[in-house]
Amino acid sequence: MKIIFHIPFAINTDVASGTNIRPIKILNAMLGLGHDVEVVKGGNKERRSQIDRIKREIKNGKKYDLLYSESSTLPTLLTEKHHLPSAPFMDFEFFSFCKSYGIPVGLYYRDIHWNFAHYPLSGIKKAYSHFFYHFDIKKYNKLLDVLFLQSYEMKKYIPGLDENIKIVELPPGVDQVFEHKSFENPKNQLKIIYVGGLGKLYQLHEFINAAQSFNAFDFSICTRKEDWNAVKSEYESILQPSKNIHLIHQSGDELDKKMPNYDLASIIVKPTDYWSFVLPLKLFYYLSFQIPVIASKGTRAAKFVDEHNVGWVVDYNEKAIESTFNAILNNPESIAEKQNNIKKIHSDITWEARVNTIIKTLTSE
């Protein structure tokens, strides 16, 4: 396939966030599958040059099978460092141009933090950003053949979205299944890890309260230093005296090398409306290592875990979490069972499988 891959921002490979990781994973999967990909990315000036070149080629007869875009967490018009709409027509005019030449257009809408109470801006800054977020949605309604979302549940939280727009689920994917030791019992301790943020969206208090009384578990909480520093006062009294709860700040290859040492992984967070539609990258990161997952009931991650029997679903309260820990300790063979279920679904949830969904969906349009 000849694909145009559009990203309206410059990717920062030094920041391990979904905004930077996901587009790279999708692009690499496209290239790995042998597709011919023209990439439009970077700042306004860089994208303008790339867009002008592709438009000239199309006018001269070059054919493309589809245009796929990954949105920014910022409004499309505000992705420059100065957050001013200095190229207000460039990206969406390019979408319109491609459509006029019969090229189907699909876009993955990354997130909708801006429509929730935890959004950090207020006052004039909030109103300013909201205007441009709504502008994006109006353009999506008009220009997209397909809107890709991490889950169907997300749709109801996108204000102003056309009811008739075609929605297709496109969650994160897994890399190849990494070699992971088979679960062995008995063991001195079961090792469990949480990888992710801390803060208003990522509340781990009940998880930690339950964990500190279980010496049969060894718990690691892996988060960025800046995230920890922002909430240090909330958690320090629990974590400091604990012998079986460890705080680590690792990512990339350093973390990858340690992941096979863990038996279980956690997405035990306080469920909120936001978590009702989110399928986080870390869920699929865990599954890449064949690590079964414990997730909070009421979250979209828990629904996935339950549907595929790749872990356990638990109410977000200390006693329920303790009960689940005890159930695992009393039936450790269930860990191997969950690992086998992860292997069974692996080929359906790879990044390559996500790319095949993009192509199949858009070319059928």
Side-chain angles (χ1 to χ4, degrees):
M1 290 283 171
K2 292 189 180 297
I3 299 170
I4 302 169
F5 187 13
H6 172 268
I7 311 166
F9 56 93
I11 294 173
N12 184 356
T13 55
D14 293 328
V15 179
S17 67
T19 306
N20 297 299
I21 294 171
R22 184 186 168 107
I24 294 172
K25 295 291 188 180
I26 291 285
L27 176 59
N28 287 342
M30 287 178 173
L31 295 172
L33 288 168
H35 299 298
D36 183 358
V37 187
E38 286 280 4
V39 181
V40 176
K41 66 176 177 63
N44 286 351
K45 185 177 180 180
E46 187 180 358
R47 297 203 310 282
R48 170 63 70 191
S49 175
Q50 296 159 347
I51 286 171
D52 287 347
R53 175 181 54 79
I54 293 171
K55 286 168 73 173
R56 285 195 302 270
E57 292 173 345
I58 291 173
K59 287 177 181 178
N60 290 330
K62 186 169 183 178
K63 303 294 183 184
Y64 287 95
D65 295 292
L66 60 95
L67 184 157
Y68 172 75
S69 180
E70 288 255 339
S71 73
S72 170
T73 52
L74 294 170
T76 305
L77 274 60
L78 306 184
T79 57
E80 293 289 279
K81 288 183 179 179
H82 51 59
H83 301 317
L84 297 173
S86 53
F89 307 111
M90 178 174 63
D91 297 285
F92 292 125
E93 191 278 332
F94 181 51
F95 288 7
S96 180
F97 173 86
C98 289
K99 280 181 69 72
S100 72
Y101 278 83
I103 301 169
V105 178
L107 176 139
Y108 175 77
Y109 193 45
R110 182 167 312 286
D111 218 324
I112 195 156
H113 288 292
W114 63 271
N115 199 35
F116 285 84
H118 64 256
Y119 187 59
L121 299 184
S122 60
I124 293 174
K125 288 184 177 180
K126 180 177 179 180
Y128 176 76
S129 66
H130 273 215
F131 173 84
F132 288 100
Y133 281 122
H134 283 287
F135 181 81
D136 277 351
I137 294 167
K138 288 179 181 178
K139 290 298 183 181
Y140 297 161
N141 288 337
K142 183 179 179 181
L143 296 172
L144 298 185
D145 294 289
V146 178
L147 179 66
F148 295 99
L149 302 176
Q150 57 189 290
S151 70
Y152 290 119
E153 289 86 351
M154 182 177 172
K155 179 182 178 181
K156 72 177 183 178
Y157 294 100
I158 306 175
L161 191 65
D162 190 330
E163 280 296 316
N164 296 317
I165 194 169
K166 182 171 182 178
I167 303 292
V168 172
E169 277 194 332
L170 196 71
V174 298
D175 296 304
Q176 78 276 10
V177 169
F178 293 92
E179 286 297 320
H180 192 288
K181 66 183 185 309
S182 298
F183 177 74
E184 297 175 2
N185 187 58
K187 297 181 63 174
N188 292 328
Q189 282 187 315
L190 294 178
K191 294 175 70 68
I192 181 170
I193 188 168
Y194 166 84
V195 180
L198 291 174
K200 190 172 182 180
L201 262 186
Y202 308 93
Q203 296 187 41
L204 309 186
H205 303 79
E206 295 294 308
F207 165 64
I208 291 173
N209 285 336
Q212 63 184 342
S213 63
F214 272 81
N215 290 326
F217 279 88
D218 183 81
F219 299 90
S220 293
I221 297 173
C222 180
T223 192
R224 291 185 289 250
K225 286 184 180 179
E226 55 268 31
D227 287 1
W228 166 245
N229 288 334
V231 297
K232 202 172 181 179
S233 59
E234 291 181 42
Y235 291 97
E236 213 167 28
S237 61
I238 300 174
L239 290 176
Q240 269 194 343
S242 177
K243 295 180 180 179
N244 68 327
I245 303 178
H246 316 286
L247 185 69
I248 59 176
H249 307 295
Q250 294 175 331
S251 61
D253 291 341
E254 188 180 18
L255 181 60
D256 290 348
K257 290 175 183 176
K258 285 196 169 185
M259 289 302 290
N261 296 324
Y262 292 97
D263 304 298
L264 303 165
S266 170
I267 309 181
I268 304 175
V269 294
K270 184 178 180 179
T272 61
D273 282 351
Y274 177 81
W275 279 104
S276 71
F277 66 81
V278 173
L279 281 166
L281 267 170
K282 62 175 162 272
L283 167 61
F284 296 88
Y285 179 69
Y286 298 151
L287 298 179
S288 294
F289 293 90
Q290 303 171 32
I291 302 175
V293 179
I294 309 173
S296 302
K297 187 176 181 180
T299 65
R300 184 60 181 82
K303 183 179 177 183
F304 182 96
V305 167
D306 187 52
E307 285 174 346
H308 300 286
N309 195 17
V310 292
W312 298 262
V313 174
V314 58
D315 286 318
Y316 183 75
N317 66 70
E318 183 178 343
K319 290 192 178 300
I321 297 168
E322 287 177 357
S323 178
T324 298
F325 289 163
N326 274 321
I328 295 170
L329 288 172
N330 292 331
N331 183 23
E333 293 80 10
S334 62
I335 296 176
E337 175 195 344
K338 309 296 184 184
Q339 284 181 336
N340 287 331
N341 290 337
I342 295 170
K343 293 177 185 178
K344 289 176 185 176
I345 66 168
H346 173 258
S347 62
D348 296 326
I349 60 172
T350 60
W351 289 107
E352 288 75 14
R354 304 310 187 205
V355 167
N356 288 335
T357 296
I358 293 167
I359 292 171
K360 183 178 178 180
T361 303
L362 287 173
T363 55
S364 71
E365 290 298 304

